[in-house]
Amino acid sequence: MKSWKVREIVVMSVISVVFAVIYLLFTHFGNVLAGFFGPMGYEPIYGIWFIVSIIAAYIIRKPGAALISETIAAFVECLLGNPSGPMVIVVGLVQGLGAEAVFLAARWRVYSLPILLLAGMGSSVTSFIYDLFVAGYAALSPGYLLLMLTIRLFSGALLAGLLGKVISDSLAYTGVLNGMALGKELKKKRKQVSQHAGF
Amino acid sequence: MQDSNELLSIDRLTFSYEEDEKPIFKDLSFQIQKGERALLLGPSGCGKSSLALCINGLYPEACDAAQTGRISLFQKNIEDFQAAEKPSLHIGVVFQDPDQQFCMLTVEDEIAFGLENLQMPKEEMKERIDDVLVKLDLTGLKGQTISALSGGTKQKVALACILAMEPDLIILDEPTSLLDPHSARSFVHMIKELQEEKGFGLLVIEHQLDEWAPWVERTIVLDASGQKVMDGETPDIFQFRSEELKKIGVAIPHVAAMQENLNVPFTLSKEMLFTQPFPAFEEGKNLPLTEDVLEVNGLSFSRGQRAIFSDISFSLRAGSLTAVVGPNGTGKSTLLSVLARLYKPKSGEIRLFGKPLHSFSENELRRQMGFVFQNPEHQFVADTVFGELVFGHKHQKDAAEKAHDLLRRFGLDHVLTHHPFALSQGQKRRLSVATMMMHDLKILLLDEPTFGQDAKTAAECMELIESIQAAGTAVLMITHDMELVSAFADNVLVLHDTKLVYQGAPAPLFSEQNEIVQQAKLAWPLQYEWLHHKQQEEHHEPAITNH
Amino acid sequence: MNQQLQTINPTIKAAAVFCCVVMLSFIYNPYTPACFYVIIVVGVLSAARISLKKWLLFTIPFLILAAGCMWTAAVFGKVPTTADNLLFEAGPFEINRENALVGISLGFRILCFSALSMMFIFTTDPILFMLSLVQQCRLSPKLAYGIIAGFRFLPLLKDEVQIIQQAHKIRGGASENGLKEKLASMKRYTIPLLASAIRKAERTAIAMESKGFTGSRNRTYYRTLTVAPRDWLFFLLVLLLFSVSFFISLCFS
Ligand SMILES: Nc1ncnc2c1ncn2[C@@H]1O[C@H](COP(=O)(O)OP(=O)(O)OP(=O)(O)O)[C@@H](O)[C@H]1O
Ligand SMILES: Nc1ncnc2c1ncn2[C@@H]1O[C@H](COP(=O)(O)OP(=O)(O)OP(=O)(O)O)[C@@H](O)[C@H]1O
Ligand SMILES: [Mg+2]
Ligand SMILES: [Mg+2]
């Protein structure tokens, strides 16, 4: 935590809080779907629950951003009244680990679209392994499980990776992120463009 | 090293938010001694709030700004302070925006937070908290959630947090701009007493000087480009350099302004002014004889169980300026929101041009009626200052021209590419008023349009309001500034304790309805205060001779 | 007995819940979670002052979820259906005894999770939980206070949405009547909402630092949380109750 500024932590935590509310809305929505279709009902929207780790990591670009933000979001969701209670914190931790692992593999230096998509899929994998054991999915038939995993991977890449990037970029455009790594990068890019235009 | 009494020293400080932009202030130098009291004045947007954050050691780090020069505290460069002994432990700032200064949920925890950072033992903390709450008369609010408090109370809580830490220097950034006149006055008196008791250094940033000028001995003035242009004894500055001050745009206390107009000896205290013979003043305005555009009948509104206002009736005439006044938290802003159809009234009727308000379509209504929120940030929707003005006017040919003209009049032409949130507090206010001046409206509702403004921009704002009034717009304006009410309004509504306790011209309110003025925590404009003073003397003198 | 649960150290409480959840994850018979569920509900309702109505209201979404899980596990369970274990046929699906039992077990597992979490949420002050994590688990104060500051934003969220809505109204934004327009405006609100949240966060961070906050561990606490013997007692009691329900289930099967 040493290299983090207080400002970065508070920003990360506030983003997590906002998304915790969104997560909870989706949890209830997912529960209704699951009521009809069983656990399969969750799969198409599963990626939305990883979005905070992508956004936080992409904006702040520090080791731990993906993991911690996802955990905070889960923590707040738990306080707001998620069905699985404190267990959801562990779920968040597991999902965050998946994304963080991808960023770690990229040495926390590369935040391109492919990496973000992979990070979303990373969360899909770890969360699936978790569900296999704790949610008792292990009791389901392998073919059904494979279908679930595939849908979840797509969902993770699109709803977390792609959507997360789109949201962060439009945020950076409004100028609120000027003090964060993403905003600074954007500023630098703009400067280069204007310099090129000048010559 | 010769002067061991030195508390704060600023040496050739230059600061800019963007490296390649013109600096906000340049080569600024001044010192403050231990226990000294000083006013920091300057036109809106000259960098006063930014300076406060620099002194506190938070800028430039917190916003990636460029800063050169030296700030030292107790003759030690603030950059050399260790983490454990941050300059912010010695310097307390009460920020301009009351929503900007809290990080915990309840009053008690918020005060404790600062003390925890000081590593104070728990027992002592408890004592300090109770002490400071008693001192500021906040004891009942100890466990309250901060976000549910009114603006004025928040400001008091912010002060309590700072006082509990017992810093050596307290910086107050426009602490009274949101308070009703009565609360503002008692706030200043409280600060005065505390300062005299504790002897901390005090730096006050303000635009409303009447309460401060008589007892804050020193005044530092910055001009629009952030240069220090004056630094000296407060009375000297207001006596000998008032012409220069007016040119810069800085307000001078009403007492001094009136004394100048009447050609009586200089003074900053009302008591001295009131010993002079009472001059003749012009009467207030009267209502124009036009038809009503908005009629309100038996309007009520409540939040949950609590009635905010009930059974209110009044009307607005085309081309009139109606002022709404009343104590903090009485429901003035809520009333405006109901009139603007943002909230549904509980009962009662609002008619616009004789038709019920709810019969208008959204687009039609917004074309006729403008609204300026109390908090300017609440109405910003675009990414730049210029974009904010032309929002919704893209198809209009002359929109850009009109926007540029407004920006120039409001002194915002140099920040037109800024994000609306990256403005000074006063600039935000002006921008929010300017956006509503883009339309040709029939009704304009303004929530404290002049707070946080310097003399020049406030005058400019009132001039614009008068000009649209002349074009036939009915204006309804909430304000805490009674001088403004008596000078500009032709109708006053006093809202107090859920009722409209007065409606009519301002002159009779201030000259005859003393009880209402006192109850509704208003104040008398200077000329009326003088009038009452005279009347009281006349009453008293025979009584004194009787004894 | 009232308010007893409220005074248990939050970290210990969380640890107890966590242990139960982990143990429940290994159980596929329906009796243990069912028993345990009854025990928790009775215990919580009597030991903490929570109204029955509130409890039921919060249980409803979990009932739906539990039903969904039960259904899936029963239909898609991995034990193949044979003539021996066939219970009944529902349309194209054949449901057998083993899978049905697992389904019921999963359903009750979810209800147990929900009951445990409601026990935790209804009786724990989140701020105290954070402080307890700092004081008992050596969580970094920088992170903990950062989270608390973010948490402060939660109650303001609703107002924030309303304010953005009003701004768009006043500034001549479109009226939102149809469902489609409502969805479009959702998109229009997300970015401003996040932007203003981030802005407020930066201000809060400035407020924290202006009060001398550095995030170092060298600080005192106004609210000190300790672990007393009764906290451990609570922990053991919860484990005991779990074992009781486990042994009851042994009697059944
Ligand atoms: N975050 C920011 N980023 C960029 N520029 C800023 C930012 N905040 C303020 N400014 C600019 O810096 C200048 C000084 O602002 P500051 O808030 O210090 O003024 P001020 O003297 O306090 O004005 P007021 O009396 O209106 O409060 C203004 O021109 C403003 O537009
Ligand atoms: N969002 C809200 N939720 C709950 N109560 C509120 C809210 N906004 C205002 N109130 C309460 O409604 C009352 C009226 O508030 P309002 O803002 O209209 O007062 P005001 O007269 O404009 O005060 P001021 O002069 O301080 O601006 C206050 O007592 C306030 O506490
Ligand atoms: Mg300012
Ligand atoms: Mg108001």
Side-chain angles (χ1 to χ4, degrees), chain B residues 258-540:
Chain B
M258 189 174 278
Q259 155 272 327
E260 214 168 74
N261 288 342
L262 299 176
N263 256 326
V264 294
F266 176 81
T267 175
L268 280 174
S269 96
K270 280 183 217 162
E271 287 73 28
M272 293 299 292
L273 182 70
F274 292 167
T275 58
Q276 301 294 325
F278 187 72
F281 288 108
E282 37 181 306
E283 275 290 304
K285 301 187 171 184
N286 274 320
L287 264 180
L289 297 170
T290 48
E291 77 275 27
D292 291 341
V293 280
L294 186 89
E295 288 161 78
V296 174
N297 253 320
L299 196 67
S300 305
F301 183 83
S302 46
R303 275 183 199 281
Q305 288 298 311
R306 188 176 147 221
I308 302 289
F309 51 80
S310 51
D311 201 16
I312 282 182
S313 308
F314 63 91
S315 60
L316 300 183
R317 285 191 191 167
S320 69
L321 174 61
T322 307
V324 182
V325 297
N328 285 123
T330 189
K332 303 182 294 297
S333 303
T334 313
L335 174 65
L336 244 63
S337 299
V338 173
L339 293 183
R341 212 172 75 180
L342 295 178
Y343 298 137
K344 267 208 180 72
K346 193 175 120 200
S347 63
E349 178 186 54
I350 306 170
R351 296 180 86 86
L352 184 62
F353 308 124
K355 282 193 289 181
L357 190 67
H358 56 79
S359 70
F360 286 79
S361 81
E362 192 69 37
N363 280 334
E364 209 179 336
L365 179 67
R366 301 305 162 198
R367 261 206 309 276
Q368 312 276 5
M369 180 190 270
F371 185 86
V372 172
F373 285 89
Q374 178 161 17
N375 185 343
E377 292 188 357
H378 287 177
Q379 76 188 78
F380 295 148
V381 289
D383 289 334
T384 64
V385 169
F386 187 73
E388 199 63 55
L389 276 182
V390 296
F391 183 88
H393 295 276
K394 296 256 160 61
H395 316 295
Q396 244 165 285
K397 261 182 281 151
D398 58 343
E401 207 175 303
K402 200 167 174 185
H404 280 295
D405 180 52
L406 275 171
L407 289 175
R408 201 166 38 248
R409 293 187 71 166
F410 275 133
L412 294 171
D413 40 356
H414 61 293
V415 289
L416 87 178
T417 55
H418 276 220
H419 195 279
F421 283 82
L423 293 178
S424 86
Q425 208 66 4
Q427 288 169 334
K428 280 179 202 161
R429 174 80 293 178
R430 301 205 287 282
L431 177 60
S432 65
V433 174
T435 53
M436 285 301 149
M437 299 289 178
M438 289 290 292
H439 305 250
D440 290 319
L441 301 161
K442 291 284 177 284
I443 293 191
L444 181 56
L445 309 173
L446 299 160
D447 202 341
E448 306 193 27
T450 58
F451 90 83
Q453 300 302 318
D454 57 54
K456 200 151 121 192
T457 52
E460 188 72 42
C461 181
M462 289 317 296
E463 204 172 290
L464 264 174
I465 290 175
E466 282 195 306
S467 77
I468 61 163
Q469 226 184 308
T473 307
V475 181
L476 184 69
M477 173 176 93
I478 296 177
T479 183
H480 289 306
D481 185 344
M482 296 302 138
E483 301 288 345
L484 215 62
V485 173
S486 100
F488 291 97
D490 36 39
N491 193 14
V492 193
L493 309 176
V494 182
L495 192 61
H496 174 54
D497 202 12
T498 76
K499 288 275 183 293
L500 215 50
V501 290
Y502 177 89
Q503 56 176 318
L509 169 68
F510 292 123
S511 54
E512 290 154 27
Q513 305 286 350
N514 292 351
E515 207 155 293
I516 290 180
V517 170
Q518 264 163 354
Q519 266 178 3
K521 296 200 171 176
L522 309 177
W524 288 275
L526 195 57
Q527 77 172 68
Y528 291 95
E529 200 173 344
W530 194 345
L531 180 70
H532 288 298
H533 191 83
K534 279 285 163 227
Q535 285 171 350
Q536 240 164 33
E537 261 179 6
E538 280 160 23
H539 277 289
H540 272 286

Side-chain angles (χ1 to χ4, degrees), chain B residues 53 56 58-59 61-62 83 86 88-89 91 95 97 99-105 108-110 112-117 119-122 125-126 129 142 147 161 165 340-343 362-363 366 371 373 377-381 388 391 419 421 428 435-436, chain C residues 125-127 131 135 145 148-153 155-156 159-160 162-176 188 192 195-196 199-200 202-225:
Chain B
L53 285 159
N56 201 222
L58 296 171
Y59 279 7
E61 195 276 330
K86 277 204 153 185
S88 41
L89 295 178
I91 302 178
F95 293 111
D97 179 357
D99 287 321
Q100 193 176 333
Q101 38 207 342
F102 302 110
C103 43
M104 302 294 278
L105 291 169
E108 186 182 10
D109 286 337
E110 184 68 40
F113 180 74
L115 302 179
E116 288 175 348
N117 294 332
Q119 301 181 36
M120 185 179 285
K122 189 173 163 183
M125 243 188 258
K126 280 186 178 154
I129 293 174
K142 192 171 175 185
S147 60
C161 298
M165 293 175 73
R341 212 172 75 180
L342 295 178
Y343 298 137
E362 192 69 37
N363 280 334
R366 301 305 162 198
F371 185 86
F373 285 89
E377 292 188 357
H378 287 177
Q379 76 188 78
F380 295 148
V381 289
E388 199 63 55
F391 183 88
H419 195 279
F421 283 82
K428 280 179 202 161
T435 53
M436 285 301 149
Chain C
D125 177 349
I127 307 275
L131 290 178
Q135 292 170 26
Y145 281 88
I148 292 177
F151 198 73
R152 214 175 61 91
F153 193 72
L156 305 179
D159 293 345
E160 204 68 28
Q162 199 184 19
I163 285 166
I164 296 172
Q165 232 164 9
Q166 291 180 345
H168 278 282
K169 259 190 186 169
I170 290 295
R171 304 300 303 279
S175 58
E176 319 144 13
R188 219 169 9 148
S196 103
R199 220 157 235 132
K200 295 228 163 91
E202 294 207 313
R203 286 178 189 173
T204 308
I206 286 187
M208 288 167 84
E209 289 189 292
S210 83
K211 293 201 175 99
F213 181 74
T214 56
S216 81
R217 279 183 201 283
N218 295 331
R219 61 187 287 114
T220 49
Y221 296 97
Y222 180 60
R223 296 179 188 280
T224 38
L225 290 132

Side-chain angles (χ1 to χ4, degrees), chain B residues 23-59:
Chain B
I24 305 291
F25 39 82
K26 205 176 165 202
D27 285 335
L28 185 66
S29 309
F30 64 86
Q31 276 90 32
I32 288 184
Q33 310 298 320
K34 282 179 190 153
E36 192 175 358
R37 305 179 284 207
L39 276 168
L40 178 65
L41 310 181
S44 164
C46 73
K48 304 178 295 296
S49 301
S50 313
L51 178 63
L53 285 159
C54 290
I55 295 176
N56 201 222
L58 296 171
Y59 279 7

